[in-house]
Amino acid sequence: KDTLHELNPHVNVITHEVALSSANALDLFRGYDVVVDGTDNFPTRYLINDACVFLKIPNVHGSIYHFDGQVAVFNYDGGPCYRCLYPAPPPAELAPSCAEAGVIGAICGVIGSYQAVETIKVLLKFGEPLKGRILSVDLLHQHVRELKIRRDPNCLVCSDHPTITELIDYEQFCTVTL
């Protein structure tokens, strides 16, 4: 907060020094125009997605794994949500956190920069945000692919007839084996 104020004293920075949870997510997100998700674990990603869907807030998602990264804008202007792409989390042993798998700072910087641009496009309603598309970046081989994502008509959260209508226990949801 102090660093941002040094760069621009006219910016309004609001900090929330609490852990995000099902008990506080809706209150924390309410009133914001966009949520930028750079988290490193599935329970928090699903929590952010569901809270954004319930509050009708776009979710600018970014994730990394080794030299790979993904960026998408979920829940924007009738587009799909995170659950449309990933209805259920992978088994825990196949999805280590950044602390477990390691992080290359430069990869975070690239994906974070993409997220910043997508956030600006959403806020300014300018250009074509990554709605219904996911940008997949392989920085080891310098490959960039864009994949289309459709809204799932049976999505548990964003469909016309959702079965999840309130925030759940995401730790439990992400540890259940299917």
Side-chain angles (χ1 to χ4, degrees), residues 70-72 74 85-86 132-136 145-147 149:
Q70 294 182 338
V71 180
F74 294 115
L85 180 61
Y86 301 113
R133 301 175 292 148
I134 190 163
L135 191 69
S136 177
R145 296 183 331 165
E146 183 181 293
L147 308 166
I149 311 166

Side-chain angles (χ1 to χ4, degrees), residues 50-146:
D50 294 0
C52 285
V53 170
F54 296 155
L55 294 171
K56 297 176 177 33
I57 300 172
N59 171 6
V60 179
H61 168 79
S63 63
I64 64 165
Y65 183 70
H66 295 253
F67 284 90
D68 298 315
Q70 294 182 338
V71 180
V73 179
F74 294 115
N75 194 46
Y76 178 68
D77 195 27
C81 77
Y82 183 78
R83 282 183 187 265
C84 292
L85 180 61
Y86 301 113
E93 64 274 8
L94 297 180
S97 70
C98 289
E100 297 163 332
V103 174
I104 298 170
I107 309 300
C108 297
V110 169
I111 298 304
S113 294
Y114 274 115
Q115 285 182 278
V117 170
E118 290 304 305
T119 301
I120 291 167
K121 291 184 330 189
V122 166
L123 290 172
L124 297 179
K125 297 181 182 351
F126 188 77
E128 290 185 44
L130 287 169
K131 170 188 126 181
R133 301 175 292 148
I134 190 163
L135 191 69
S136 177
V137 182
D138 171 353
L139 288 158
L140 185 61
H141 301 100
Q142 297 302 337
H143 295 159
V144 178
R145 296 183 331 165
E146 183 181 293

Side-chain angles (χ1 to χ4, degrees), residues 1-2 4-5 12-18 28 32:
K1 179 177 181 175
D2 293 338
L4 291 174
H5 275 282
N12 181 22
V13 178
I14 301 168
T15 59
H16 301 281
E17 296 182 25
V18 298
L28 289 174
Y32 288 96

